[in-house]
Every structure is written in structure tokens, then in C-alpha cells.
Amino acid sequence: MLLSMNGLSIYHKKRCIVDKVSLALAYGEWHAVAGESGSGKSVTALSIAGLLPNELSAEGSIFYEGIDLLTFSHKKMRLLRGKKISYIFQDYQGSFTPFMTIGSQFDEMLCTHTDLPKKARQTKALLSLEEVGLPPERTFCSYPFQLSGGQVQRAAIAMATMLQPKLIIADEPTTALDSITATAVLQLLKKRQSETGCGVLFITHDLRTVKKYSDTVSVMQYGRIVETGRPHHVLAKPKHEYTKQLVSALPPLCNVPVRLGREALKEGLK
Amino acid sequence: MKEAVIAVKNAAKTYIGSSRAALDSVSFTIIRGECLGIVGESGSGKSTLAKCILGIQEISDGEITLSDKPQAVLQNPSASLNPKLRIIDSLLEPLDAQKHLLPSFLADVCHDRRKTGDKLLSMVSLPGGCLDQYPHQLSGGQKQRVSIARAISVEPRLIVFDEPTASLDVLVQAKVLNLLKDLQEKLGLSYLFISHDLAAVNFMSQRIGVMKDGQLLDLFRREALFSPQRHPYTKQLIEVFDS
């Protein structure tokens, strides 16, 4: 297993936000974690490479290639993060520092993790921008605000896959993008995954993308995983009440119902 | 033929300083009680269309004929409510400003502000207790319900929705969409429902328009979504949403 979480719990002071979550991700697997806002899926993702905010604490274990990441020092974690484990976030505006060019941010990452000379670093950065379908030279010299949302997210994928990490954690990478741009970004991530053979932990609330791209799905509610399995199986025959609700809330294109998942949604108007 | 609540004829809009038309000769009508959905990606001109209909932007050419002032529910529910006002004051602002309006469904309570607020909130399934709260005390879905209650409060003929569920997650989105359908049937409202989510548009609308680069490429009845005559771009959209 590339990644295995065993009984991971995350606390805010005494309050339990994530409750004994266990999850396994094989080499090259695309594992989706689905659930609505507040279900604890994002903090679970953040805890893997030690990115939890200070007020949160994690218990249990997160094994990455057999070593428990929760016992890692900050220093050791920094060597791992970006090189072996990389992140792509929802907020593409926040993925890059606004006052530095995209190129200099790629260079910073290469300086941190490799011994390449300047020329080779630039070649590598340009190549990885080209691989995600961006005009390499122009993007390299651009500031983040000079690119569109879809372009910034592509650049983030280029940066996340540049050093061929074994694990990519994508936390709602397409939520802020429109559907066509989102599809292009996900297809790109899928392509980069098959080229580099990395595992992807994909955090989302969109069941449609779960069905299309992932090998496994775990459904999360109130900090617990309520159901895990092959997406086609889980979404076609959901067992847990919460999964049923999520599936019935999704408007279909054919046989459009008069109301969405009415019965399941009756309780609790929030 | 029922009366049209809005007729848009060859509407065009080019923003000052831009060489590209944000709206390029767009025409459609919406009849009473109908929901027309407009789907398109970012930059397709769908929000410009909403702004022109609402009178926030002026069209550069063409005609927009409205039978009544439209109401609007926009994407960001936090930005549509004044953070310094209690919910009751935001909610009743349109009615406070237009004392002569007497919506039929508020006839029995219109003498009392608090009862009017209660009634409006109950129509969107919110507890009356929200009236004295401030926007930051409500969730995104609750704030969007308040915006919807405010939009229906003046009994408009047409409500323009611009990405009303884009910032909400699946379960909340489903509840809001169901609510919009309930209200439409109960009050005989007409909707212009704009979104990049073809599935939501398809659920809501009797007719669907597809926009790209400022043009209305395709306009069809919902039943004809899978017809071979669809525009290639519409087919591309269907592929994204068909699962």
C-alpha cells in the first residue's frame, strides 16, 4: 500500500472532527473521498503531509510506504512534501504567491528538492508547463493574476506532478471552475497520473466526477467513512442512507424526476 | 399562446474598451409560468445577459421588453445581504420601499412587518427566529433562501437566477432546486435560470438555451436534449454531464 490511514482521529481542542478513519490507497490508484462541506474530508487530506492548522491535532497513524507520517518531524516532512507527496487545492488563487511569476515559483520548488543547475531547472519547468498544455514561455513569465482560473489550475497540476511524486492529494481541484474547464483539468490530471503512475487521493463533493475518474470511493459524513467500494457499485447500489441521499440529490439528464430525492431530503432543512 | 413576461430581441452588448461582443444578437421570450434555462461556461456572456435584463448594464443594441420589473437571485448569497442589517430588514426592503404593493399571498399579514417576515420565511422553509439574526449567523443555504424569499416578496412575474446554487453543496443544492420548483408552481412565477450546470438547468427548465462566446447557439425543449439536431457544443456539454 502506498498510503494507509488507520484509526485516524482529528480533534479541535476536545471536539472530534474526524473519527477513527481508516483508508488505504494502492500504488497508482485514484481514490475519491466524497462528502458535503463539514464532513471532515479536507482536514483528513491536510493531515497527511502535516498541514493541519495549529489548533487541530491528529491521532492514530498514517503510513506512507510503511513509515508513520504522524511521527515525522517538520524538517523531514518538508523534504517529503512537494517531492513525494504533493497537493492541488480548490482555491487556485491561493496556490501561487500573487507577486511572484509562475516561473520563479517553479524554480523555488526545484531549488528546494533538486541539485539541478539553473539552466536545467528552467528546462524542466518549461517542459512540465508544456505537458499540461500551457504555452510554456509565456506562462513561465506570467504572474498568477494574468492567467485564467483553468490555466492557474493547470499550472498547479504541472507543479504538483513536476517531480513525479508518488502521491497527489487533490482537494476539490475543480470546484471553483466551470464544468467544461473542470473536465479538461480532470482529464489532464488523469493523463498525468497514467504517465507518472502516481496514486491520487481525490477530495470532492461531486459524485459525477467520482464515477468518471476514480477506482475507489469512500463516502464521508460527520467525520466518519460510512461506505467504501468501487464507484459503479457504491453509486448504483448505495447501502448507507447518506450515500442514498447524495445519489438522489444529483439531477439526472434522462428521466428527470419532478423533485430531487424528496423522501431522503425531507428531514432537516439547513 | 400565453403572454410573454420577457421578450429579448437581437440583444447585443460590447463592454467599453473591449473588442469582443459579450452578447451577440441574442433573442428569446419567456412566457408566463415557464422556466427558461441558460447554460454556458465562464465567459459565455450568460451573466452579462442577466445584468442587461436586470438593468444593471445597458445593451448596446437590440431590445429587451419586460412586462414587469424582474427580481434577481445571484450566485453569492453572502454578497446579496447587507451584513449590517438584520434579516428582517434586508428581507422587507423591497416591500418597505414600495408600500403600494400588496402581494396576494401576503394579503392577510401585510399590516404587520413581523408577520409578513414570518410568512415569507415560512414559504422558503426557514424558521421565523432567523428574522432577528444577522447574515453571518446563517449558513450559505439559509442565506440563499432569504434571497429567494426577498425575490418572491413583491410577487414578481419574472425572477432571474444567476448561478443560484453554485456555492452550495449537493444536498443543499437539491433542497434549493426543489424549493424553487414548489414556489414556481404555487405562485405561477416565470424563471430565467442561468447556470453552468447542465444537469441543474435540465431539472429546472421547460426550455434550455446554450450560450457560448456571447451567442445563443442552441434553444430547445427539454425533451429534445438528446435529439441528433443538437448543436455540437451542446453535445459536448451533454458528454460532461451524462453519467
Side-chain angles (χ1 to χ4, degrees), chain B residues 13-81:
Chain B
K13 168 80 188 170
T14 306
Y15 287 103
I16 297 167
S18 163
S19 54
R20 204 171 62 94
L23 273 187
D24 187 358
S25 195
V26 170
S27 305
F28 62 85
T29 56
I30 301 177
I31 56 167
R32 192 119 201 211
E34 183 190 34
C35 176
L36 174 74
I38 299 280
V39 63
E41 56 193 299
S42 327
S44 60
K46 53 194 199 313
S47 289
T48 300
L49 175 66
K51 283 179 193 156
C52 290
I53 291 172
L54 293 168
I56 302 169
Q57 290 285 347
E58 262 178 49
I59 43 172
S60 346
D61 202 8
E63 255 176 70
I64 295 178
T65 321
L66 287 154
S67 68
D68 185 22
K69 270 191 205 144
Q71 289 295 309
V73 175
L74 305 177
Q75 172 169 3
N76 183 349
S78 307
S80 5
L81 299 173

Side-chain angles (χ1 to χ4, degrees), chain A residues 14 31-32 49 53 64 87 93 108 116 148 196 214 217 234 237 244 252 254:
Chain A
K14 287 273 158 66
H31 191 130
Y64 168 81
Y87 279 89
Q93 315 268 15
E108 193 179 71
L116 296 172
S148 73
T196 62
S214 41
V217 58
V234 171
K237 285 185 189 134
K244 286 182 192 166
C254 309

Side-chain angles (χ1 to χ4, degrees), chain A residues 99-109 140:
Chain A
F99 48 80
M100 281 168 75
T101 59
I102 298 284
S104 57
Q105 302 189 48
F106 273 71
D107 197 59
E108 193 179 71
M109 185 171 174
F140 191 85

Side-chain angles (χ1 to χ4, degrees), chain A residues 88-90 92 95 149-157 173-174 177 185:
Chain A
I88 302 165
F89 294 106
Q90 168 178 356
Y92 52 81
S95 306
Q151 286 173 322
V152 175
Q153 205 57 299
R154 276 168 186 272
I157 291 179
T174 58
L177 303 173
V185 164

Side-chain angles (χ1 to χ4, degrees), chain A residues 19-197:
Chain A
D19 189 9
K20 299 192 191 74
V21 160
S22 296
L23 181 154
L25 194 144
Y27 287 88
E29 184 187 88
W30 183 304
H31 191 130
V33 179
E36 56 187 324
S37 355
S39 60
K41 54 194 196 313
S42 282
V43 280
T44 304
L46 290 176
S47 68
I48 297 170
L51 292 178
L52 282 181
N54 285 335
E55 63 269 25
L56 301 186
S57 57
E59 272 175 24
S61 61
I62 303 173
F63 283 98
Y64 168 81
E65 297 208 293
I67 12 171
D68 188 359
L69 295 178
L70 288 182
T71 63
F72 256 45
S73 66
H74 284 295
K75 208 174 164 190
K76 270 167 108 179
M77 191 61 94
R78 260 171 56 192
L79 294 175
L80 204 68
R81 210 186 296 136
K83 190 169 190 186
K84 299 283 181 196
I85 302 179
S86 60
Y87 279 89
I88 302 165
F89 294 106
Q90 168 178 356
D91 173 22
Y92 52 81
Q93 315 268 15
S95 306
F96 291 95
T97 308
F99 48 80
M100 281 168 75
T101 59
I102 298 284
S104 57
Q105 302 189 48
F106 273 71
D107 197 59
E108 193 179 71
M109 185 171 174
L110 287 166
C111 276
T112 311
H113 292 293
T114 67
D115 306 322
L116 296 172
K118 191 160 195 271
K119 193 96 189 147
R121 290 201 304 268
Q122 188 175 353
T123 316
K124 195 165 175 66
L126 289 174
L127 183 71
S128 71
L129 284 169
E130 199 174 358
E131 277 165 348
V132 297
L134 290 169
E137 274 87 13
R138 212 194 74 198
T139 315
F140 191 85
C141 301
S142 295
Y143 286 93
F145 60 84
Q146 293 172 314
L147 306 177
S148 73
Q151 286 173 322
V152 175
Q153 205 57 299
R154 276 168 186 272
I157 291 179
M159 187 136 137
T161 53
M162 181 166 59
L163 297 170
Q164 311 220 331
K166 289 191 177 154
L167 173 63
I168 294 182
I169 299 165
D171 187 359
E172 306 246 12
T174 58
T175 305
L177 303 173
D178 74 64
S179 43
I180 300 248
T181 317
T183 308
V185 164
L186 286 177
Q187 279 169 352
L188 170 69
L189 187 58
K190 190 87 198 170
K191 174 175 150 263
R192 293 298 287 149
Q193 186 205 15
S194 56
E195 284 164 3
T196 62

